Amino acid sequence: MDILRRLGQYLDRPGFPWKKLIIGFQITQYLFEGILSLRQYKILQLPKPPKTLEGEIKQETFDKSQAYGRAKAQFGFVSGLYSQAQNFATIYYDVLPRLWDLTGIWLSRYSPQGFTGEIVHTIIFFFTYNLITTTINLPVSYYSTFVLEEKFGFNKSTVKLWVTDLLKGQALGVALGVPLLSAFLAIIQKTGNSFFYYLFLFGIAVQLFAITVYPIAILPLFNKLSPLEEGALKTGVEGLAKRLDFPLNNLFVIDGSKRSAHSNAYFYGLPWKKHIVIYDTLIEKSQTEEVVAVLSHELGHWSLSHTTKLFGIAQFHMFYIFALFSVFINNRSLYQSFGFHKEFPIIIGFILFSEALAPMDTVVKLLMNILSRKFEFEADEFAVRLGYSTELAKSLIKLQIQNLSTMDADWMYASYHFSHPILPERLGALGWSSREKKADPTMVDETKSKVATGREL
């Protein structure tokens, strides 16, 4: 506590150029990520797949994957510049203090008796700001869904569904955001300098609540979950779960095809009660043995305590974020640098603190991706020990093709951005070698039994 207090005093220097420093951070990060993207773009222009994939991927499929990667990269360049321009304009034109003052005027003129104070003001400010940023970013979202994804055959959504999802998301944001934001502010107001301990406990409670409530009350607003029908797949997955003592409670199929042709699956739940969800887009694309192999990889994460370790790391990260926020929450020089001279709202302090913390978050992202890729290799090895080496390799190749995922990557770009190893690395670790020159693995006899594969591998 004393260290945090003294650090806070040291950083609160009148006239310190916080605005210039944060703008400098943003520009540096943008340029750094741009350089990485240019390195990756060169990889996306290569005419031939990696040697590991030459016997597995048709040239036509590889060319389409490369084209999809380039299209996403080009879109990323433009959308990134658009986002950077928004951030710069928000800071340069003092949008935050202007909007805070404007919402304060609305509150004083139009709010009912008793609806006053910082919490009410913050709620109005927050959702007004969110509405503005959402509206500004609508063209980006529309282009991504109805131009880019549509061009490569992945979009299954309609404008009506897209708008409906947007409205549902905004309504859900208000329904959940109001009590959560109110509790966040009230905890800080009432617990003094030790607020970060209580915020940490509150954060854990919110996560447990989300794990429990999301699949029951929130997910059904956007998708339909149906029990997996009886058959070879269900028998195989249940047998795998029993073999590993995985506390499987339900097997579901989700109608992901109503929005996208991309494939995915995941599991969720409390430690003693787990559920597996498989996208319907996968049901027609893999054979039973391959699905079980993929799920052996996923359950490997659980068996090797990867999910528990990542959850623990997330809690530590959350605690240090709240602890560091206690250093900045009363930093008048930070507020004043961004145009707040009379009022020092908590939410503004948290927003500005988040911007100042961006360089550290970049390092955390890099380290977490390194750890995540290590866990992916370990989960693959776990599946191999269960006897699913060949089936897992085949399913990974199929998923790569079905999703037109990146076949190769620049090492610097992958280290920074990728939480999963690229396919050639995983096949190499699996010891995979094609016994014969294969056709495109998506060209499977349509009469064969097909089922779903695992979550985001």
Side-chain angles (χ1 to χ4, degrees):
M1 282 292 296
D2 187 57
I3 294 176
L4 295 176
R5 181 184 59 80
R6 284 188 288 177
L7 180 60
Q9 292 174 347
Y10 175 77
L11 292 175
D12 191 3
R13 300 181 178 185
F16 188 81
W18 286 106
K19 180 182 286 190
K20 292 181 181 179
L21 186 65
I22 288 176
I23 290 177
F25 286 160
Q26 292 180 348
I27 294 175
T28 301
Q29 182 174 1
Y30 174 74
L31 293 176
F32 171 69
E33 293 182 354
I35 291 171
L36 294 182
S37 296
L38 288 173
R39 290 175 61 96
Q40 176 63 10
Y41 198 81
K42 291 180 180 179
I43 300 296
L44 295 172
Q45 292 176 311
L46 295 177
K48 296 292 184 180
K51 289 186 178 181
T52 309
L53 302 181
E54 284 181 349
E56 313 298 338
I57 308 292
K58 278 186 175 181
Q59 184 64 42
E60 180 184 358
T61 302
F62 177 74
D63 291 342
K64 189 174 182 181
S65 171
Q66 291 288 82
Y68 182 48
R70 290 194 299 271
K72 289 194 295 181
Q74 292 163 3
F75 174 70
F77 288 132
V78 176
S79 61
L81 182 60
Y82 185 58
S83 176
Q84 190 65 27
Q86 289 180 52
N87 291 338
F88 182 80
T90 298
I91 294 173
Y92 184 80
Y93 292 106
D94 289 330
V95 171
L96 294 180
R98 292 173 186 270
L99 185 60
W100 180 264
D101 291 341
L102 179 61
T103 51
I105 293 173
W106 293 347
L107 183 64
S108 62
R109 289 183 180 177
Y110 307 114
S111 66
Q113 187 70 25
F115 282 82
T116 58
E118 183 179 349
I119 292 180
V120 176
H121 190 174
T122 297
I123 290 172
I124 296 173
F125 165 84
F126 182 82
F127 287 108
T128 301
Y129 182 73
N130 180 67
L131 180 62
I132 292 171
T133 55
T134 299
T135 303
I136 291 174
N137 286 305
L138 283 178
V140 176
S141 176
Y142 183 90
Y143 184 91
S144 175
T145 302
F146 295 103
V147 178
L148 196 157
E149 294 294 302
E150 185 78 28
K151 178 180 179 180
F152 290 91
F154 289 118
N155 176 49
K156 303 300 178 182
S157 184
T158 63
V159 174
K160 180 181 178 180
L161 181 60
W162 179 70
V163 172
T164 301
D165 283 349
L166 181 66
L167 295 177
K168 285 181 180 178
Q170 291 297 308
L172 190 62
V174 173
L176 296 178
V178 169
L180 291 177
L181 186 55
S182 299
F184 174 84
L185 297 172
I187 289 171
I188 295 175
Q189 289 178 343
K190 295 180 181 300
T191 56
N193 294 331
S194 301
F195 70 84
F196 56 91
Y197 293 114
Y198 300 95
L199 275 185
F200 172 66
L201 296 175
F202 174 68
I204 294 176
V206 169
Q207 291 175 77
L208 295 177
F209 174 78
I211 291 173
T212 304
V213 173
Y214 174 78
I216 300 173
I218 299 176
L219 184 59
L221 296 174
F222 299 91
N223 292 94
K224 180 181 179 181
L225 289 176
S226 304
L228 180 64
E229 295 180 357
E230 296 292 337
L233 176 59
K234 186 174 183 179
T235 301
V237 175
E238 289 177 341
L240 176 65
K242 185 176 181 180
R243 179 180 176 185
L244 300 176
D245 291 325
F246 180 76
L248 178 63
N249 187 258
N250 288 300
L251 275 169
F252 292 117
V253 176
I254 189 171
D255 59 342
S257 59
K258 67 189 292 186
R259 291 179 179 82
S260 174
H262 285 295
S263 305
N264 203 354
Y266 58 92
F267 66 82
Y268 68 90
L270 297 170
W272 56 88
K273 188 178 182 181
K274 300 289 188 182
H275 315 275
I276 293 177
V277 177
I278 306 172
Y279 278 56
D280 60 350
T281 48
L282 293 172
I283 297 218
E284 298 180 357
K285 295 179 180 179
S286 299
Q287 299 183 36
T288 300
E289 297 81 4
E290 296 167 354
V291 177
V292 177
V294 170
L295 289 175
S296 72
H297 164 96
E298 293 304 322
L299 299 191
H301 285 304
W302 171 82
S303 183
L304 297 170
S305 301
H306 292 165
T307 51
T308 302
K309 292 173 183 176
L310 290 175
F311 182 80
I313 292 172
Q315 306 320 300
F316 175 79
H317 183 254
M318 179 173 64
F319 181 80
Y320 105 81
I321 289 291
F322 289 150
L324 281 181
F325 179 43
S326 70
V327 172
F328 285 84
I329 190 171
N330 295 314
N331 190 318
R332 295 296 184 259
S333 65
L334 177 62
Y335 283 98
Q336 291 168 357
S337 183
F338 284 86
F340 289 86
H341 300 283
K342 296 180 180 179
E343 292 184 87
F344 308 101
I346 294 172
I347 191 64
I348 297 298
F350 192 74
I351 292 172
L352 299 180
F353 158 72
S354 299
E355 296 289 351
L357 198 66
M360 189 177 297
D361 279 346
T362 298
V363 175
V364 171
K365 173 184 175 181
L366 172 63
L367 295 177
M368 288 304 299
N369 280 341
I370 292 173
L371 179 63
S372 177
R373 290 194 297 273
K374 177 178 180 293
F375 284 171
E376 291 302 316
F377 281 125
E378 291 177 356
D380 283 350
E381 184 182 358
F382 182 87
V384 171
R385 291 200 301 269
L386 292 178
Y388 294 110
S389 176
T390 300
E391 292 81 2
L392 179 59
K394 289 180 179 179
S395 65
L396 289 175
I397 294 169
K398 285 187 178 182
L399 284 172
Q400 190 84 3
I401 294 171
Q402 292 157 11
N403 292 322
L404 291 181
S405 301
T406 302
M407 304 287 179
D408 201 355
D410 172 75
W411 71 271
M412 286 183 64
Y413 182 89
S415 298
Y416 182 76
H417 284 289
F418 288 178
S419 62
H420 289 58
I422 58 175
L423 181 60
E425 293 175 336
R426 297 183 71 176
L427 293 180
L430 288 171
W432 170 259
S433 60
S434 180
R435 292 185 175 86
E436 58 182 354
K437 196 76 172 177
K438 293 181 178 291
D440 188 327
T442 57
M443 306 298 291
V444 181
D445 183 75
E446 294 294 333
T447 62
K448 289 184 179 179
S449 174
K450 299 176 182 178
V451 290
T453 57
R455 67 175 179 92
E456 184 182 351
L457 289 176

